């Protein structure tokens, strides 16, 4: 059985994100709980093949985003060094 899309669902989802996103000053726990609640409401119980939906990973809040950004920068720099030819 296919659900009919709710015309106001996207509007409500975007309003929630704008109001509660941690980058905009919202509480990370409230944001994660609200996202989970919204995703549960919109998630079908079973996929087309009858098996449970596999795209239901939990939301993880990263407390220190600077650490992740620095690590990503170091990985990018390492890849650039590896791609550069050593013989000139």
């Amino acid at each position: 059985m296919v659900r009919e899309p709710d015309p106001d669902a996207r509007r409500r989802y975007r309003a929630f994100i704008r109001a509660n996103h941690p980058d905009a000053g919202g509480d990370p726990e409230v944001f994660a709980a609200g996202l989970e609640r919204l995703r549960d409401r919109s998630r079908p119980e079973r996929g087309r093949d009858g098996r449970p939906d596999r795209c239901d990973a939990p939301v993880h809040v990263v407390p220190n985003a600077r650490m992740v950004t620095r690590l990503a920068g170091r990985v990018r720099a390492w890849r650039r060094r590896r791609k550069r030819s050593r013989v000139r």
Side-chain angles (χ1 to χ4, degrees), residues 8-50:
D8 294 328
R10 181 172 180 184
R11 183 183 50 78
R12 286 193 310 264
Y13 180 77
R14 291 175 63 88
F16 173 80
I17 298 297
R18 274 194 303 273
N20 296 304
H21 197 278
D23 290 346
D27 184 27
E29 286 80 22
V30 171
F31 180 69
L35 270 184
E36 191 65 33
R37 188 178 65 245
L38 287 170
R39 288 180 178 162
D40 283 344
R41 189 181 308 156
S42 66
R43 186 180 301 134
E45 303 229 355
R46 298 277 176 181
R48 291 183 186 176
D49 56 358

Side-chain angles (χ1 to χ4, degrees), residues 5-6 8 12 23 28 32 39-40 43-44 49-50 57 59 61-62 66 68 81 85:
D6 183 11
D8 294 328
R12 286 193 310 264
D23 290 346
R39 288 180 178 162
D40 283 344
R43 186 180 301 134
D49 56 358
V59 176
V61 178
V62 178
R66 254 196 254 148
V68 174
R81 282 194 309 271
S85 75

